[in-house]
Amino acid sequence: MTSPLINKFVVVGIGLIGGSLATGLRQRGACAEVIGIARKAETCTEAVNYGVVDRAYTSLQEIAHELTAGDIIFIAVPTLSVNSVFEEIKQHISSDVTITDGASVKGSVQLAAEAVFGAVPPQLVLGHPIAGSEKSGVTAANPNLYERHRIILTPLESTSDVHLDLVARMWQAVGAEVLSMSVEEHDEVLGATSHLPHVIAYSLVDTLAQDINNPNIFRYAAGGFRDFTRIASSDPVMWHDIMKANKSAILKSMDLFIDNLSRLRKGIEQGDSDYLLDVFSRAKEARDEFTLMLAKRQAAPKED
């Protein structure tokens, strides 16, 4: 019988991201045991009852003595809470244990590691799964969440090849495609493609709910509004942290968007048909190309 890829998989933060990876590894036999860490005892109990983890505790210290080479700790807490997890790891966890994370901003995680450890330790592999849902909590765990989705790893010069390889194979075990880029490029790209859309969705829903005094505003909203604003149902704490952690890249993307929106407003105000058709046609072409690219990726045969 083949040994599992991972001995003990420890997930710190048993919500959508961490819980989905835990259940995905469990169902595929990629780890011998899944251990959950959550702040609240009720969450620990719920995670065990739902079959997301085998057992759960409220601190890493309680299981630190069990962990060694071949074990992975996956940090899946809000971005600004990573620092406190690093503090606990520094005090209690062996340098043989592989550490990785799923935070949406890599620069802030790197800075947190440098602040706590003095330098980013070789065992720490920074990463971010490009997958998610507006759902949250233990019950949102989906074992197939990462199938055919991309995972971006942002290794540093100090990152150990042994730990990097184990993390890459962990993600591949749940059907994900693993890519690599620098911390700086990751935060700039995600600031534009993920963080900015969330800013727009939250702002739009808040504008309609708070500033337009019309009780029918949501009653008659169609499917386009539902699809466009779905992500405004995401966890507010998580996105609060992301906005603070990736402020520079997000503001850069927002400024560009506001500038383009202002030009579009002017075009509408002046009835500039050529400008409007040019913007809408370019956007449609780009969106259609993206849709085709996505369809090809999803249709590609899965590697063994």
Side-chain angles (χ1 to χ4, degrees):
M1 184 176 178
T2 306
S3 299
L5 172 66
I6 305 161
N7 182 29
K8 289 182 172 65
F9 175 75
V10 181
V11 55
V12 183
I14 322 172
L16 170 71
I17 298 302
S20 294
L21 181 55
T23 55
L25 292 169
R26 256 186 121 198
Q27 289 194 10
R28 291 165 176 80
C31 58
E33 186 180 26
V34 175
I35 303 170
I37 305 294
R39 288 182 298 111
K40 298 179 181 178
E42 308 91 275
T43 304
C44 293
T45 301
E46 191 176 22
V48 173
N49 291 341
Y50 273 95
V52 176
V53 300
D54 296 302
R55 50 193 171 109
Y57 304 88
T58 55
S59 75
L60 275 170
Q61 183 178 358
E62 295 179 74
I63 57 159
H65 64 283
E66 301 181 32
L67 305 180
T68 186
D71 299 328
I72 293 180
I73 294 176
F74 178 61
I75 304 170
V77 299
T79 305
L80 299 184
S81 299
V82 171
N83 190 286
S84 61
V85 179
F86 282 162
E87 291 283 3
E88 195 170 10
I89 287 172
K90 180 183 179 182
Q91 293 179 45
H92 305 293
I93 302 299
S94 163
S95 60
D96 294 328
V97 179
T98 300
I99 314 293
T100 189
D101 77 301
S104 186
V105 184
K106 303 312 339 154
S108 65
V109 177
Q110 179 182 350
L111 290 174
E114 290 170 348
V116 172
F117 297 100
V120 179
Q123 72 192 115
L124 176 59
V125 181
L126 304 181
H128 177 212
I130 311 301
S133 165
E134 72 278 11
K135 299 177 182 178
S136 60
V138 173
T139 57
N142 174 6
N144 301 314
L145 180 66
Y146 303 110
E147 281 277 358
R148 302 188 186 282
H149 280 78
R150 291 179 170 176
I151 308 300
I152 299 176
L153 300 183
T154 58
L156 306 169
E157 288 186 9
S158 62
T159 306
S160 159
D161 289 340
V162 172
H163 293 294
L164 178 61
D165 179 65
L166 182 58
V167 171
R169 288 190 290 142
M170 174 192 75
W171 284 115
Q172 290 165 349
V174 292
E177 177 187 3
V178 179
L179 305 175
S180 179
M181 64 173 59
S182 70
V183 168
E184 294 76 17
E185 183 182 11
H186 170 278
D187 288 356
E188 182 177 356
V189 169
L190 270 294
T193 60
S194 174
H195 307 164
L196 176 62
H198 279 80
V199 167
I200 297 168
Y202 278 121
S203 179
L204 174 60
V205 173
D206 191 54
T207 297
L208 297 181
Q210 303 298 326
D211 300 328
I212 297 181
N213 187 24
N214 187 334
N216 291 323
I217 204 76
F218 291 121
R219 185 177 303 167
Y220 295 105
F225 174 81
R226 178 200 62 208
D227 295 341
F228 183 76
T229 60
R230 174 186 60 82
I231 55 177
S233 291
S234 302
D235 183 357
V237 174
M238 179 179 76
W239 282 99
H240 160 273
D241 283 12
I242 289 171
M243 296 304 151
K244 295 188 72 173
N246 201 27
K247 180 174 72 172
S248 179
I250 293 170
L251 289 177
K252 180 180 178 181
S253 294
M254 285 181 70
D255 288 343
L256 184 60
F257 178 73
I258 290 168
D259 185 45
N260 287 336
L261 192 63
S262 295
R263 288 201 296 270
L264 186 58
R265 184 193 184 284
K266 183 178 179 181
I268 294 171
E269 182 181 38
Q270 296 180 349
D272 189 341
S273 295
D274 290 341
Y275 178 78
L276 296 179
L277 283 171
D278 189 39
V279 171
F280 296 163
S281 297
R282 282 201 318 267
K284 181 186 184 313
E285 183 180 347
R287 181 62 171 81
D288 289 348
E289 185 177 344
F290 169 72
T291 302
L292 182 62
M293 187 189 312
L294 192 62
K296 286 181 178 178
R297 187 194 310 165
Q298 292 174 339
K302 182 182 175 183
E303 296 182 2
D304 294 332

